[in-house]
Amino acid sequence: MKKQILFVILEQFADWEAAYLSSAVYMLGMGEYDVKTVSLSTDMVTSIGGFHVVPDHSIESVPSDYEALILIGGMAWRNENAGKIRPLVDSCLAEGKVLGGICDASAFLGTTGALNNVKHTSNDLDDLKQWAGGMYTGEERYVTRQAVRDKNVITANGTAPLEFAKEVMLALKAAPEEKITEWYNFHKLGYYEAAMPQDAATWNS
């Protein structure tokens, strides 16, 4: 049975923040992983870019057997209903599974207390502090960097979907580190600058 990576997407989710990671899971994961989407219900959600997605699971039907819970940023994380995602975050942390949040979803993690004991980043520290309030006590562990991985928690700002994908893949050990780094460099540096990976033809298709 394939290992499941759960992507939490809310209405007006940032589709580009999911794209690198979801594709890397399939391209580098050696056929061992499946990507599944989770939202508040199984009603269709629409991305910022206009993609219409019918989630695989509602928050009530999330499987207990999964490898990672990945919160994708977007325009709805500050809505009251987004708080219904918190129990998923709490259980993921308690079970020591990989937990990721990018852009506003990383700041949402701050509102759950998930960032207090790990190094982390987000879009802006002051915004994180203001939004999370007393639930956030991790200011000394905030790192001004595109993406940060500490233990099994990965955070990134909204301009770092590629860095986020790399760190999540490394946390999952979804492929040899050399392959993950090669994949990252190829996409970061571009076709003409990066060393040509042996399987670049499949990455270019």
Side-chain angles (χ1 to χ4, degrees), residues 155-167:
T155 49
N157 66 54
T159 64
L162 186 54
E163 289 79 3
F164 182 62
K166 175 186 175 184
E167 296 301 332

Side-chain angles (χ1 to χ4, degrees), residues 91-152:
S91 63
C92 181
L93 277 175
E95 295 172 22
K97 296 178 179 179
V98 172
L99 174 65
I102 181 171
C103 197
D104 236 21
S106 67
F108 174 81
L109 289 178
T111 71
T112 73
L115 305 182
N116 292 337
N117 298 308
V118 293
K119 294 177 183 177
H120 58 278
T121 194
S122 190
N123 287 337
D124 179 76
L125 176 58
D126 289 337
D127 177 69
L128 173 57
K129 290 164 58 179
Q130 183 177 358
W131 182 19
M135 289 300 298
Y136 178 67
T137 60
E139 180 177 355
E140 292 183 355
R141 295 180 175 85
Y142 187 91
V143 182
T144 308
R145 203 164 70 217
Q146 290 294 90
V148 174
R149 170 169 49 100
D150 189 9
K151 300 174 184 175
N152 277 344

Side-chain angles (χ1 to χ4, degrees), residues 162 182-195:
L162 186 54
E182 189 178 63
W183 173 89
Y184 169 81
N185 288 338
F186 183 73
H187 287 86
K188 185 69 174 179
L189 299 176
Y191 189 90
Y192 296 105
E193 297 294 330

